[in-house]
Amino acid sequence: MNKKTSSSVRAQIDKKRKRSQWLLIALSIVLVSAGIILLTPLRSTVAFHFNNLRTRVIYAFNPPDEAVFVPEEQQSLETIVAATLLAFTPSPTTEVLPSATPESTGTPAPSMTPTVTATPIPQSVDLPGVVYVHQHNRWNYCGPANLTMALKFWGWEGDRDDVARAIKPGENDPDKSFIDKGKSDKNVMPYEMANFVADNTDYAILTRYGGDIDVLKNLLANGYPVLIEKGYYERDYTGKITWMGHYLFVTGYDENEGVFIVQDAYLEPGENLRVPYQEFIDGWRGFNYLFMVISPTQNQQEVLYLLGPWADETWANQNALNIANSEINNQSGIDEFFAWFNKGTSHVQLFEYVDAAFAYDYAFLLYANLGDSGAAETVETQRPYRMMWYQTGPYFAYYYSGRYQDVIELANTTLYDTIADPTLEESIYWRGMAKLALGETDSAIADFRETVYLNSNFIPGLQKLNELGVSP
């Protein structure tokens, strides 16, 4: 990081600290007002609006898009990257991995070109039997709603609340209703959805990174809808248009129009929306082209065949890395940030943690150089401050590289500067892991207990408490 960039980032941090005292004053006023209101019969009516007001006050004094994480080793990154960037772009002759199909002889180029099968597919597919499930009247419910759609396609008889009780049970507070408990859970991770399918249904699920539009079309043409995770821009409840993560259920395509047919649980109306291929790819990039396929267990071998080389998870992760390396060289602004972040994620999936940490370091440098949200800001320069709500790869990379203080700093930046309430159990868990590695056992235990309070089904937190011989 050059001196200009470093001083700019530090100035933003100092500015945020100065605003903190005003934030405390404003929050005190809001809390006193809330205390008065909550003593009245209007309690249930105003709770929702009070929470929104509280969040608006916090964000007004501490805008989340001004939060910047600076890894301890970032100071020399620009020099390192300038000297080694080409070395991080794999050669086609050195990156060949075994394929799951006899027809594949090497790693395909990182592009959106047909790579799955030479068999012609229909010009259009619109799968029948799709049961649309929305997420309305629930908080942060796109995970449960989309997973319910994917399961119902195959005849599952549960509903979105059945899913949510398992994967986002919310705060372990007996005085709160089920719906109120889950409000603080901002996101459901793909692994949580996969675990639900494996543990609570008779269906199978496969998750892969590094997908392209042709592998999706091949699956759709053979009767298999697909879940993806993507980013997009939407006006949130604070009134600002910002980047956020979202799941989509993909149920068809039309080559003549160049669109995918998707079910969007959030939008109204959200059924059978038609999304142009390039718009679809641009949103998908923010999550390293992750996709999930649910099927009856007896159909899993057919799914693996249809996946072609993606059947091999290592191949898929290497393909995702190849795509990221390519996009690093041809994207700019927020998409260049996503490309570097995806590079880190792919290295994590390949258990290459030091390389992953380097990639994430540079991604966070690019993040710091993006602009603050504002009227003059464009999509290409906006900071996606919710990124760590949805993806935890940097924690793996820094922790397994022995950079425990960076784990703690990243968790604290995420928990206290990008969100109104520190309710991300994954960030708290990794902070606890880093503290434990540094010998701060009591503080680590407190973090692990907090993860289980926030999500009573959070297995990593429960396991650590059990290993330490303490109660939740």
Side-chain angles (χ1 to χ4, degrees), residues 173-194:
D173 186 342
D175 294 329
K176 289 185 176 181
S177 68
F178 163 68
I179 301 303
D180 287 337
K181 287 179 181 181
K183 288 180 179 179
S184 61
D185 192 335
K186 299 299 183 184
N187 178 58
V188 170
M189 297 288 183
Y191 79 86
E192 293 178 293
M193 297 169 72

Side-chain angles (χ1 to χ4, degrees), residues 16 20 23 27 54 58-59 61-64 67-68 385 389 395 408-424 427-428 431 435 443 447 450:
K16 286 178 66 66
S20 294
L23 172 62
L27 278 179
R54 178 179 172 278
I58 292 173
Y59 282 1
F61 284 90
N62 278 324
V68 174
Y385 68 85
W389 298 14
Y395 293 132
I408 293 171
E409 291 301 322
L410 177 58
N412 285 339
T413 299
T414 302
L415 291 164
Y416 301 121
D417 293 335
T418 73
I419 192 170
D421 294 298
T423 59
L424 301 170
S427 290
I428 297 171
R431 185 177 66 183
K435 289 176 179 177
S443 185
D447 276 347
E450 180 67 8

Side-chain angles (χ1 to χ4, degrees), residues 294-374:
I294 292 173
S295 66
T297 304
Q298 64 269 24
N299 292 25
Q300 194 165 21
Q301 285 304 310
E302 181 182 13
V303 172
L304 288 169
Y305 175 78
L306 294 171
L307 286 174
W310 280 268
D312 183 332
E313 189 170 5
T314 299
W315 185 96
N317 292 329
Q318 185 65 58
N319 189 57
L321 179 58
N322 291 350
I323 294 171
N325 281 324
S326 175
E327 292 188 336
I328 281 169
N329 294 315
N330 58 40
Q331 297 294 334
S332 61
I334 191 172
D335 287 323
E336 185 182 5
F337 161 75
F338 287 142
W340 275 97
F341 199 98
N342 291 343
K343 179 180 177 70
T345 300
S346 298
H347 278 303
V348 166
Q349 293 298 311
L350 292 165
F351 307 105
E352 299 165 352
Y353 296 115
V354 174
D355 287 344
F358 176 91
Y360 285 130
D361 282 347
Y362 199 68
F364 286 122
L365 172 63
L366 293 173
Y367 180 96
N369 287 333
L370 292 172
D372 301 332
S373 290

Side-chain angles (χ1 to χ4, degrees), residues 127 130 146-147 149-150 153-154 205-208 211-229 247-253 260-263 280 284 289-295 303 307:
L127 294 178
V130 175
N146 278 277
L147 186 56
M149 280 191 273
F153 180 83
W154 297 106
I205 183 169
L206 289 171
T207 302
R208 294 292 186 268
D212 67 21
I213 63 174
D214 292 292
V215 70
L216 299 193
K217 287 189 288 187
N218 193 50
L219 288 163
L220 291 163
N222 286 277
Y224 293 93
V226 185
L227 278 170
I228 71 156
E229 192 168 16
Y247 290 103
L248 275 185
F249 189 42
V250 187
T251 59
Y253 65 86
F260 277 114
I261 300 170
V262 305
Q263 313 301 318
F280 186 95
W284 202 12
Y289 304 103
L290 178 143
F291 65 100
M292 294 176 278
V293 187
I294 292 173
S295 66
V303 172
L307 286 174

